[in-house]
Amino acid sequence: MILSTTIYLAQEAQPSGIGAFNINLKAFLFQLVTFLLVLLAFKRWVVPPIIKTLEARQKTLEKSLVHAKQTEETLARAEAKAEEILAKARNRADETLKETKASAEGVIASAEEAAAKRAEYIVKEAEARLQQERAKLKDELKDELAELVADTAEIIVRQKLDDASDRRLIEAALKETLR
Amino acid sequence: MTRRTLAKYAADLITAGSAAKAVARQLAAGLIEAGREKEVELLLNDIYWELENRGQLALAKVSTARSLPRELTNELTAKLKKATGVRSISLETEVDKSIIGGIKVETASRVWDETVSRKLSDLREAF
């Protein structure tokens, strides 16, 4: 609308003075006023919200940057912490493994010692039992041998002992025993 | 009255010169009256023990595998008198084949066992 108005006014005015430059002063002023009015309107109602919005956007961006930086720092700290925790866990696992290994070695040594003692006890017990059995057999053999010798002696004496021999035995008994 | 007291009483009577038969009757009556007939054998042993210890009499039970000849019997009697220290010896002889040989003499308080069976028994135990 402003442009059509300007063209109309330019067609109506005749050049004089400044108009020699084909500039219509009224139209120019009118346009200038219009421009100023538009400029003022822009400055009053359009620019402030835009600036405000831009400032808000900038603040938001700054805040986002700060937040991102903080997040990055937090992440870095978290990574460091995680690394530390992992290192600690690794150390603890190594220690636990060492302790477990040492404990297992102790248990194995203890079990071996117990097994050796048990084996020694079993061997000793077996030896003692064997000794007892041997002594028992020896005694039994001795008794049987004594019985056999006595039986044999009895048979021989019964065969060999006649009246004369028996008399000599009695005489010897009277002489030696009844004194 | 205990058996030992009865034995001493009987030994006193015999030592004093009472007849053995009379003493025996008296003791038998006493035992029957007291209901102690089963003790007769034990009482006799006690009386012999008492008489032997007093040097009066010893009853010797002699066991041999064969009958003992007279001369050996006499020798045995003499030896027993000396060994026991009694004035007289009463011998009870028996033949026991199980002793095989030798002689066994048993009085109320002593035993002499010189038999072959005892020596064989000793041999068995010696092992």
Side-chain angles (χ1 to χ4, degrees):
Chain A
M1 186 183 76
I2 293 168
L3 184 61
S4 62
T5 307
T6 305
I7 292 168
Y8 174 75
L9 288 174
Q11 287 173 351
E12 289 290 319
Q14 293 296 319
S16 68
I18 198 168
F21 295 98
N22 285 330
I23 295 171
N24 189 334
L25 188 61
K26 284 181 184 172
F28 176 73
L29 287 173
F30 180 74
Q31 282 181 351
L32 186 65
V33 169
T34 307
F35 176 74
L36 288 173
L37 284 171
V38 170
L39 186 68
L40 283 173
F42 263 89
K43 196 178 179 182
R44 178 69 180 87
W45 287 293
V46 177
V47 174
I50 290 170
I51 289 172
K52 198 177 176 182
T53 303
L54 288 173
E55 280 176 355
R57 180 73 55 84
Q58 191 177 0
K59 278 183 184 175
T60 306
L61 282 171
E62 282 174 356
K63 207 181 274 182
S64 295
L65 281 173
V66 169
H67 191 66
K69 198 175 179 183
Q70 282 177 350
T71 305
E72 196 176 348
E73 283 175 1
T74 306
L75 191 65
R77 279 202 301 274
E79 279 180 0
K81 186 78 177 172
E83 193 63 34
E84 190 183 346
I85 288 167
L86 275 174
K88 276 183 182 176
R90 215 170 283 134
N91 286 338
R92 189 171 292 175
D94 287 346
E95 284 175 8
T96 307
L97 194 65
K98 277 182 189 172
E99 284 174 6
T100 307
K101 199 175 175 185
S103 177
E105 282 172 357
V107 168
I108 289 167
S110 177
E112 281 176 352
E113 192 180 350
K117 278 184 182 173
R118 179 72 184 154
E120 193 180 349
Y121 171 74
I122 289 167
V123 168
K124 276 185 181 174
E125 200 177 16
E127 281 177 354
R129 200 170 292 169
L130 192 67
Q131 195 69 27
Q132 284 176 353
E133 287 293 326
R134 200 178 291 164
K136 194 181 168 187
L137 278 175
K138 200 175 172 184
D139 287 347
E140 284 177 3
L141 192 67
K142 205 172 163 184
D143 289 347
E144 282 182 20
L145 187 66
E147 198 67 32
L148 190 67
V149 167
D151 289 348
T152 310
E154 185 177 334
I155 290 166
I156 293 168
V157 168
R158 278 187 190 279
Q159 285 174 353
K160 298 286 180 187
L161 195 69
D162 55 9
D163 290 355
S165 302
D166 193 19
R167 183 184 175 116
R168 279 197 296 277
L169 273 178
I170 294 168
E171 285 173 347
L174 294 179
K175 193 175 176 183
E176 295 295 323
T177 311
L178 293 171
R179 285 188 296 185
Chain B
M1 190 177 283
T2 63
R3 206 175 65 227
R4 178 66 66 187
T5 312
L6 276 174
K8 278 183 181 175
Y9 172 70
D12 287 343
L13 290 176
I14 291 166
T15 307
S18 299
K21 276 188 180 177
V23 175
R25 275 185 194 149
Q26 203 174 339
L27 289 174
L31 287 174
I32 289 164
E33 194 178 337
R36 294 162 65 183
E37 298 89 341
K38 289 180 182 175
E39 294 182 28
V40 171
E41 192 71 24
L42 295 170
L43 181 61
L44 279 174
N45 284 339
D46 286 348
I47 292 167
Y48 282 121
W49 188 87
E50 195 68 37
L51 289 171
E52 188 178 326
N53 280 328
R54 292 181 185 194
Q56 297 292 318
L57 173 73
L59 174 68
K61 293 173 183 171
V62 182
S63 302
T64 52
R66 296 164 181 83
S67 59
L68 203 59
R70 182 175 291 278
E71 60 271 23
L72 280 182
T73 307
N74 292 337
E75 188 184 344
L76 175 63
T77 306
K79 292 269 185 185
L80 276 174
K81 272 187 182 176
K82 197 176 173 185
T84 55
V86 296
R87 283 192 301 171
S88 61
I89 295 287
S90 173
L91 288 182
E92 272 185 13
T93 58
E94 68 164 355
V95 175
D96 182 3
K97 292 285 181 189
S98 70
I99 65 173
I100 303 168
I103 186 168
K104 182 179 177 183
V105 181
E106 203 174 348
T107 69
S109 59
R110 299 179 204 187
V111 176
W112 292 272
D113 190 349
E114 290 298 320
T115 59
V116 173
S117 61
R118 201 268 298 170
K119 284 176 181 171
L120 287 172
S121 179
D122 288 350
L123 181 67
R124 285 187 178 92
E125 286 175 10
F127 275 93

